[in-house]
mmCIF file of all heavy atoms in Angstrom:
data_model
loop_
_atom_site.group_PDB
_atom_site.id
_atom_site.type_symbol
_atom_site.label_atom_id
_atom_site.label_comp_id
_atom_site.label_asym_id
_atom_site.label_seq_id
_atom_site.Cartn_x
_atom_site.Cartn_y
_atom_site.Cartn_z
ATOM 1 N N TYR A 6 -26.931 -26.164 16.479
ATOM 2 C CA TYR A 6 -26.356 -25.570 15.287
ATOM 3 C C TYR A 6 -26.853 -24.132 15.152
ATOM 4 O O TYR A 6 -27.960 -23.815 15.588
ATOM 5 C CB TYR A 6 -26.783 -26.356 14.051
ATOM 6 C CG TYR A 6 -25.918 -27.545 13.712
ATOM 7 C CD1 TYR A 6 -25.123 -28.172 14.647
ATOM 8 C CD2 TYR A 6 -25.897 -28.057 12.427
ATOM 9 C CE1 TYR A 6 -24.339 -29.264 14.333
ATOM 10 C CE2 TYR A 6 -25.121 -29.148 12.089
ATOM 11 C CZ TYR A 6 -24.343 -29.737 13.043
ATOM 12 O OH TYR A 6 -23.563 -30.809 12.720
ATOM 13 N N SER A 8 -28.046 -22.688 12.567
ATOM 14 C CA SER A 8 -29.298 -22.683 11.792
ATOM 15 C C SER A 8 -30.486 -23.024 12.686
ATOM 16 O O SER A 8 -31.599 -22.526 12.486
ATOM 17 C CB SER A 8 -29.215 -23.651 10.621
ATOM 18 O OG SER A 8 -28.938 -24.961 11.082
ATOM 19 N N PHE A 9 -30.262 -23.876 13.690
ATOM 20 C CA PHE A 9 -31.306 -24.213 14.660
ATOM 21 C C PHE A 9 -31.680 -22.958 15.447
ATOM 22 O O PHE A 9 -32.859 -22.683 15.660
ATOM 23 C CB PHE A 9 -30.802 -25.310 15.604
ATOM 24 C CG PHE A 9 -31.838 -25.861 16.527
ATOM 25 C CD1 PHE A 9 -32.577 -26.973 16.178
ATOM 26 C CD2 PHE A 9 -32.070 -25.269 17.766
ATOM 27 C CE1 PHE A 9 -33.528 -27.500 17.040
ATOM 28 C CE2 PHE A 9 -33.023 -25.778 18.629
ATOM 29 C CZ PHE A 9 -33.750 -26.897 18.260
ATOM 30 N N LEU A 61 -40.631 -32.694 13.326
ATOM 31 C CA LEU A 61 -39.489 -33.570 13.523
ATOM 32 C C LEU A 61 -38.355 -32.786 14.170
ATOM 33 O O LEU A 61 -38.136 -31.620 13.841
ATOM 34 C CB LEU A 61 -39.015 -34.128 12.177
ATOM 35 C CG LEU A 61 -40.069 -34.844 11.334
ATOM 36 C CD1 LEU A 61 -39.499 -35.192 9.969
ATOM 37 C CD2 LEU A 61 -40.550 -36.083 12.027
ATOM 38 N N LEU A 62 -37.648 -33.446 15.067
ATOM 39 C CA LEU A 62 -36.488 -32.857 15.739
ATOM 40 C C LEU A 62 -35.303 -33.779 15.514
ATOM 41 O O LEU A 62 -35.328 -34.939 15.932
ATOM 42 C CB LEU A 62 -36.760 -32.696 17.235
ATOM 43 C CG LEU A 62 -35.595 -32.263 18.114
ATOM 44 C CD1 LEU A 62 -35.133 -30.863 17.732
ATOM 45 C CD2 LEU A 62 -35.983 -32.306 19.575
ATOM 46 N N ALA A 63 -34.271 -33.281 14.830
ATOM 47 C CA ALA A 63 -33.076 -34.076 14.549
ATOM 48 C C ALA A 63 -31.996 -33.711 15.558
ATOM 49 O O ALA A 63 -31.781 -32.540 15.855
ATOM 50 C CB ALA A 63 -32.580 -33.796 13.138
ATOM 51 N N TYR A 64 -31.326 -34.743 16.077
ATOM 52 C CA TYR A 64 -30.292 -34.516 17.083
ATOM 53 C C TYR A 64 -29.258 -35.630 17.047
ATOM 54 O O TYR A 64 -29.488 -36.689 16.478
ATOM 55 C CB TYR A 64 -30.908 -34.413 18.481
ATOM 56 C CG TYR A 64 -31.548 -35.697 18.971
ATOM 57 C CD1 TYR A 64 -30.844 -36.583 19.766
ATOM 58 C CD2 TYR A 64 -32.852 -36.019 18.640
ATOM 59 C CE1 TYR A 64 -31.422 -37.764 20.220
ATOM 60 C CE2 TYR A 64 -33.430 -37.189 19.080
ATOM 61 C CZ TYR A 64 -32.718 -38.055 19.877
ATOM 62 O OH TYR A 64 -33.291 -39.229 20.314
ATOM 63 N N LEU A 75 -28.472 -30.403 19.001
ATOM 64 C CA LEU A 75 -29.721 -30.223 18.267
ATOM 65 C C LEU A 75 -29.380 -29.723 16.868
ATOM 66 O O LEU A 75 -28.741 -28.685 16.714
ATOM 67 C CB LEU A 75 -30.615 -29.231 18.996
ATOM 68 C CG LEU A 75 -30.933 -29.590 20.441
ATOM 69 C CD1 LEU A 75 -31.710 -28.463 21.100
ATOM 70 C CD2 LEU A 75 -31.701 -30.887 20.525
ATOM 71 N N LEU A 76 -29.796 -30.472 15.864
ATOM 72 C CA LEU A 76 -29.418 -30.166 14.488
ATOM 73 C C LEU A 76 -30.464 -29.345 13.760
ATOM 74 O O LEU A 76 -30.149 -28.344 13.129
ATOM 75 C CB LEU A 76 -29.161 -31.464 13.716
ATOM 76 C CG LEU A 76 -28.126 -32.405 14.312
ATOM 77 C CD1 LEU A 76 -28.094 -33.699 13.526
ATOM 78 C CD2 LEU A 76 -26.776 -31.748 14.355
ATOM 79 N N ALA A 77 -31.725 -29.797 13.807
ATOM 80 C CA ALA A 77 -32.776 -29.127 13.052
ATOM 81 C C ALA A 77 -34.140 -29.556 13.563
ATOM 82 O O ALA A 77 -34.270 -30.577 14.237
ATOM 83 C CB ALA A 77 -32.665 -29.461 11.568
ATOM 84 N N PHE A 78 -35.149 -28.768 13.242
ATOM 85 C CA PHE A 78 -36.529 -29.136 13.517
ATOM 86 C C PHE A 78 -37.399 -28.564 12.410
ATOM 87 O O PHE A 78 -36.984 -27.645 11.700
ATOM 88 C CB PHE A 78 -36.990 -28.607 14.891
ATOM 89 C CG PHE A 78 -37.107 -27.112 14.967
ATOM 90 C CD1 PHE A 78 -38.298 -26.475 14.668
ATOM 91 C CD2 PHE A 78 -36.023 -26.342 15.315
ATOM 92 C CE1 PHE A 78 -38.389 -25.105 14.723
ATOM 93 C CE2 PHE A 78 -36.099 -24.975 15.374
ATOM 94 C CZ PHE A 78 -37.297 -24.348 15.077
ATOM 95 N N GLY A 79 -38.575 -29.125 12.243
ATOM 96 C CA GLY A 79 -39.496 -28.606 11.239
ATOM 97 C C GLY A 79 -40.493 -29.653 10.807
ATOM 98 O O GLY A 79 -40.540 -30.759 11.346
ATOM 99 N N PHE A 84 -37.629 -32.104 4.955
ATOM 100 C CA PHE A 84 -36.832 -32.104 6.185
ATOM 101 C C PHE A 84 -35.534 -32.880 6.012
ATOM 102 O O PHE A 84 -34.454 -32.372 6.328
ATOM 103 C CB PHE A 84 -37.656 -32.705 7.334
ATOM 104 C CG PHE A 84 -36.940 -32.711 8.651
ATOM 105 C CD1 PHE A 84 -36.857 -31.577 9.419
ATOM 106 C CD2 PHE A 84 -36.347 -33.873 9.132
ATOM 107 C CE1 PHE A 84 -36.194 -31.569 10.627
ATOM 108 C CE2 PHE A 84 -35.689 -33.895 10.345
ATOM 109 C CZ PHE A 84 -35.613 -32.730 11.094
ATOM 110 N N LEU A 88 -31.713 -31.574 5.921
ATOM 111 C CA LEU A 88 -30.857 -32.078 6.990
ATOM 112 C C LEU A 88 -29.562 -32.657 6.436
ATOM 113 O O LEU A 88 -28.494 -32.478 7.009
ATOM 114 C CB LEU A 88 -31.604 -33.127 7.817
ATOM 115 C CG LEU A 88 -30.896 -33.673 9.039
ATOM 116 C CD1 LEU A 88 -30.566 -32.553 10.019
ATOM 117 C CD2 LEU A 88 -31.772 -34.718 9.714
ATOM 118 N N LYS A 91 -26.967 -30.057 6.005
ATOM 119 C CA LYS A 91 -26.393 -29.523 7.241
ATOM 120 C C LYS A 91 -25.396 -30.469 7.878
ATOM 121 O O LYS A 91 -24.455 -30.038 8.537
ATOM 122 C CB LYS A 91 -27.498 -29.225 8.255
ATOM 123 C CG LYS A 91 -28.419 -28.118 7.813
ATOM 124 C CD LYS A 91 -29.536 -27.903 8.797
ATOM 125 C CE LYS A 91 -30.532 -26.918 8.267
ATOM 126 N NZ LYS A 91 -31.664 -26.752 9.160
#
Side-chain angles (χ1 to χ4, degrees):
Y6 274 22
S8 58
F9 187 92
L61 305 173
L62 172 64
Y64 66 95
L75 304 174
L76 304 174
F78 68 91
F84 182 79
L88 185 59
K91 294 177 187 176

